[in-house]
Amino acid sequence: MRVLVIVLVAVNALFFAWSRGWLDLVTGIPADGGREPQRLAAQQHPERIQPLAASAAAALSQRSCLELGPLEGDAALAAAQAALKAAGAEAQLHSSEQPGVWVVATIKLADPDFRARKEATYKQMRLAFEPLEGLPAEQPAFVLGRHASAAEAAAEIAALERRGLKGLRVLALKPPVSRHTLVIAQADGLLAGRLKASKDPAFAAGFKACSAPPPSAASTASAASAAGASAASR
């Protein structure tokens, strides 16, 4: 009987020590049962937590693919990426290089008589030409050709000079530019609504539905299975 009492006292003492957390490091079993009361104490403004309305919960379950662009230039891209990050959105980047435009142009033809003689010469030689536009500081002048590179324009000038034409030059009408599109493949309804309603200048290009939404994992797996079955049947 005395042994039983001693055992019970020892068990109660061990339980008391464990319940106070004194044996957590020894047993590896926390006395609080895995609870983390310190997280509750670390909350900031818990009174601001509000349950979602039914409409908001439904919007969260909706998914759509949105794309922003085209964005011309690296500065516009950087601004849009920063604004999306601030909005909590992750986007995939799709870029392409848009070629520039170089023209074969005459020298400035400020004298009307000289300009008329040049026009008559080009008509006699059956050369297509048009007034130069977009570069006010270089006008008035005629454009005899448009090219995707300065080298191509220079080659045309060399060919025209061999035909006796002088006073031609290469002008950069439009420099090459990088064009970017940012794609948010799985935007929930709340995020899509915030982005479309945003007045941030970085979103001036506007959001629209993806022209070619990326395939889902399920559809990709289904297509792979179908392809494998087709190959096996052969």
Side-chain angles (χ1 to χ4, degrees), residues 122-146:
Y122 298 148
K123 287 180 179 179
Q124 184 179 4
M125 297 178 66
R126 296 185 179 180
L127 293 175
F129 64 95
E130 60 182 318
L132 173 65
E133 296 179 351
L135 297 174
E138 306 297 339
Q139 296 172 237
F142 290 132
V143 170
L144 279 71
R146 295 172 178 265

Side-chain angles (χ1 to χ4, degrees), residues 128-218:
F129 64 95
E130 60 182 318
L132 173 65
E133 296 179 351
L135 297 174
E138 306 297 339
Q139 296 172 237
F142 290 132
V143 170
L144 279 71
R146 295 172 178 265
H147 301 276
S149 70
E152 292 179 7
E156 184 185 6
I157 287 181
L160 292 173
E161 286 179 343
R162 287 193 292 269
R163 298 177 62 181
L165 294 180
K166 303 296 182 182
L168 300 177
R169 53 187 175 154
V170 175
L171 295 178
L173 190 61
K174 180 182 177 183
V177 64
S178 297
R179 182 169 291 180
H180 311 284
T181 301
L182 291 171
V183 176
I184 306 170
Q186 294 288 327
D188 62 59
L190 291 179
L191 176 60
R194 290 202 312 271
L195 293 177
K196 290 180 179 179
S198 175
K199 303 299 182 183
D200 194 315
F203 298 153
F207 290 91
K208 57 181 178 294
C210 295
S211 52
S216 64

Side-chain angles (χ1 to χ4, degrees), residues 66-99:
L66 296 178
E67 65 179 37
L68 172 66
L71 305 166
E72 294 198 354
D74 294 337
L77 171 63
Q81 287 177 320
L84 285 176
K85 183 177 181 180
E90 295 184 2
Q92 302 169 358
L93 174 62
H94 300 274
S95 301
S96 61
E97 190 73 18
Q98 303 300 309

Side-chain angles (χ1 to χ4, degrees), residues 8-25:
L8 288 175
V9 171
V11 169
N12 279 282
L14 286 172
F15 179 78
F16 178 80
W18 174 79
S19 66
R20 291 295 183 272
W22 300 340
L23 302 178
D24 285 358
L25 295 178

